[in-house]
Amino acid sequence: FAGYISQVLKNYTDHACDGEYVSLRCPHRTTISIQSSFYGRIVPSHQLCPSRYPHSYATLIKEDVACSVGTSLQKMLDECQDRRSCQFLVNSRLFGMDPCPGTGKYLLVWYKCRPNEYKSKVACEDDKLRLSCKKSTVIAIYSAIFGRTQGGSLECPYQNLGMPMIECQSATALQLMIKRCHGKRSCSIYASTYEFGDPCYPGIQKHLNVIYTCGNTPLLLPVDETRPPAPSSSSSMEPVGVGTEMALLSNILAAYAFITGMP
């Protein structure tokens, strides 16, 4: 069970340069859940995915490092979402119009492995959320959001009090839910700013949305599938933050996505 949970809770990242295969894979009884994706170039080629052909310095300084394709997330959802594995060759033709011809690009993908059988519960702000599993099974938290999402929640409708509808989420919700409920048969927590802090502007109504699964002990998986998938020769699969280069890119892309999403 511990091996299964370690696989489910990880955030995986994979990348591939133009002309290489990207390959995503999840353990038994889980499927791919795409979190975000980027195709283009925002760092120079000497830092990531160098050109396969020799370039003069004059050519390199003209390289477009502000190039991105807006269809990359939808392409990854079409190819890989809800599958146990997927693989395809990365090139600009897959993503529609090329915004920077002549510049070598790369694909970055962040994803999680979602259990095939999972439960979802929502509590409105200041209500108590209760999770429970049947006898001989325990709770494993997959995701937790405290705040307000653009899609909102049917259980906790947004009441317009003159505040703009802006997405805001607690950065510590998942860690807190794991600490409070992981490995227990039942647990409860208030969906309150006392527990999670207030990630939103004053007056914004929030909710707690938790996705979890109930697992049998000792193991849900065969022994040989409790280890992280081995990386291929042309791509890497590791928890986000392990590699310094990928951590830097992750931070850059997170900032880029945030800025471009703001008015």
Side-chain angles (χ1 to χ4, degrees):
F1 181 67
Y4 175 83
I5 294 306
S6 68
Q7 293 284 65
V8 168
L9 295 182
K10 280 181 182 176
N11 291 297
Y12 291 102
T13 182
D14 204 352
H15 83 280
C17 310
D18 277 341
E20 296 179 345
Y21 281 92
V22 64
S23 180
L24 278 58
R25 184 163 65 92
C26 281
H28 186 55
R29 296 183 184 175
T30 69
T31 54
I32 296 167
S33 176
I34 301 296
Q35 304 296 298
S36 61
S37 174
F38 171 86
Y39 178 72
R41 178 170 292 281
I42 57 172
V43 295
S45 58
H46 67 270
Q47 294 183 13
L48 182 66
C49 293
S51 173
R52 297 183 177 185
Y53 306 100
H55 286 279
S56 67
Y57 179 75
T59 303
L60 286 175
I61 61 175
K62 296 178 182 178
E63 185 176 52
D64 190 343
V65 292
C67 172
S68 65
V69 177
T71 58
S72 64
L73 176 58
Q74 187 59 53
K75 179 62 177 177
M76 291 307 305
L77 291 171
D78 293 342
E79 294 289 336
C80 302
Q81 185 76 353
D82 297 327
R83 300 181 182 181
R84 190 180 167 200
S85 64
C86 68
Q87 184 182 56
F88 58 90
L89 185 67
V90 175
N91 60 67
S92 60
R93 293 187 298 275
L94 291 172
F95 301 96
M97 183 178 293
D98 190 341
C100 49
T103 294
K105 292 168 281 292
Y106 49 83
L107 176 67
L108 294 168
V109 184
W110 289 267
Y111 68 101
K112 296 183 75 171
C113 294
R114 180 171 56 198
N116 291 344
E117 297 181 5
Y118 61 90
K119 303 177 181 181
S120 177
K121 278 203 171 182
V122 175
C124 303
E125 187 171 4
D126 295 326
D127 289 344
K128 181 182 284 189
L129 180 77
R130 294 182 176 86
L131 306 181
S132 63
C133 291
K134 295 179 180 179
K135 187 177 180 180
S136 76
T137 64
V138 293
I139 297 168
I141 302 296
Y142 171 72
S143 68
I145 294 173
F146 178 75
R148 173 61 58 175
T149 58
Q150 289 287 358
S153 167
L154 294 177
E155 296 88 342
C156 310
Y158 178 69
Q159 297 179 10
N160 191 344
L161 301 177
M163 298 296 295
M165 181 56 190
I166 298 176
E167 182 170 322
C168 48
Q169 298 180 22
S170 168
T172 60
L174 177 59
Q175 291 91 331
L176 180 58
M177 289 305 303
I178 291 173
K179 181 178 180 181
R180 190 69 62 88
C181 300
H182 177 68
K184 299 179 180 179
R185 276 194 59 201
S186 64
C187 67
S188 62
I189 190 171
Y190 279 98
S192 67
T193 55
Y194 176 79
E195 295 281 5
F196 296 93
D198 195 343
C200 306
Y201 289 117
I204 295 290
Q205 295 170 310
K206 296 163 282 292
H207 62 268
L208 175 62
N209 186 1
V210 177
I211 296 177
Y212 68 104
T213 187
C214 294
N216 295 314
T217 52
L219 284 175
L220 293 180
L221 297 177
V223 173
D224 63 346
E225 291 193 279
T226 60
R227 295 181 179 180
S232 65
S233 58
S234 62
S235 64
S236 64
M237 182 184 292
E238 60 183 12
V240 173
V242 170
T244 303
E245 181 182 79
M246 295 308 295
L248 173 62
L249 288 170
S250 178
N251 291 337
I252 290 172
L253 290 177
Y256 176 83
F258 176 79
I259 292 170
T260 56
M262 297 297 288

Short mmCIF file of all heavy atoms in Angstrom, two decimals, residues 166 257-263:
data_model
loop_
_atom_site.label_atom_id
_atom_site.label_comp_id
_atom_site.label_asym_id
_atom_site.label_seq_id
_atom_site.Cartn_x
_atom_site.Cartn_y
_atom_site.Cartn_z
N ILE A 166 -12.39 35.49 -9.06
CA ILE A 166 -10.97 35.22 -9.29
C ILE A 166 -10.60 33.91 -8.61
O ILE A 166 -10.97 33.67 -7.46
CB ILE A 166 -10.09 36.36 -8.73
CG1 ILE A 166 -10.42 37.67 -9.45
CG2 ILE A 166 -8.62 36.03 -8.90
CD1 ILE A 166 -9.68 38.86 -8.92
N ALA A 257 2.73 31.00 -16.85
CA ALA A 257 1.30 30.67 -16.93
C ALA A 257 0.47 31.63 -16.08
O ALA A 257 -0.62 32.05 -16.47
CB ALA A 257 1.08 29.23 -16.46
N PHE A 258 1.00 31.99 -14.92
CA PHE A 258 0.28 32.92 -14.03
C PHE A 258 0.15 34.29 -14.68
O PHE A 258 -0.94 34.88 -14.71
CB PHE A 258 1.01 33.03 -12.70
CG PHE A 258 0.39 34.04 -11.76
CD1 PHE A 258 -0.75 33.72 -11.04
CD2 PHE A 258 0.94 35.30 -11.62
CE1 PHE A 258 -1.32 34.66 -10.18
CE2 PHE A 258 0.38 36.24 -10.78
CZ PHE A 258 -0.75 35.91 -10.06
N ILE A 259 1.26 34.81 -15.23
CA ILE A 259 1.24 36.15 -15.80
C ILE A 259 0.32 36.22 -17.00
O ILE A 259 -0.48 37.15 -17.14
CB ILE A 259 2.68 36.58 -16.18
CG1 ILE A 259 3.52 36.77 -14.90
CG2 ILE A 259 2.67 37.87 -16.99
CD1 ILE A 259 4.98 36.94 -15.16
N THR A 260 0.42 35.22 -17.91
CA THR A 260 -0.40 35.26 -19.11
C THR A 260 -1.88 35.05 -18.80
O THR A 260 -2.74 35.41 -19.60
CB THR A 260 0.05 34.19 -20.11
OG1 THR A 260 0.02 32.89 -19.46
CG2 THR A 260 1.44 34.47 -20.63
N GLY A 261 -2.19 34.48 -17.64
CA GLY A 261 -3.59 34.27 -17.27
C GLY A 261 -4.21 35.47 -16.59
O GLY A 261 -5.42 35.49 -16.36
N MET A 262 -3.42 36.49 -16.26
CA MET A 262 -3.94 37.67 -15.59
C MET A 262 -4.41 38.71 -16.62
O MET A 262 -3.91 38.76 -17.73
CB MET A 262 -2.85 38.30 -14.70
CG MET A 262 -2.38 37.39 -13.59
SD MET A 262 -3.69 36.98 -12.41
CE MET A 262 -3.83 38.57 -11.58
N PRO A 263 -5.38 39.54 -16.25
CA PRO A 263 -5.84 40.60 -17.17
C PRO A 263 -4.71 41.57 -17.50
O PRO A 263 -3.84 41.82 -16.68
CB PRO A 263 -6.95 41.31 -16.37
CG PRO A 263 -7.36 40.33 -15.32
CD PRO A 263 -6.14 39.51 -15.00
#
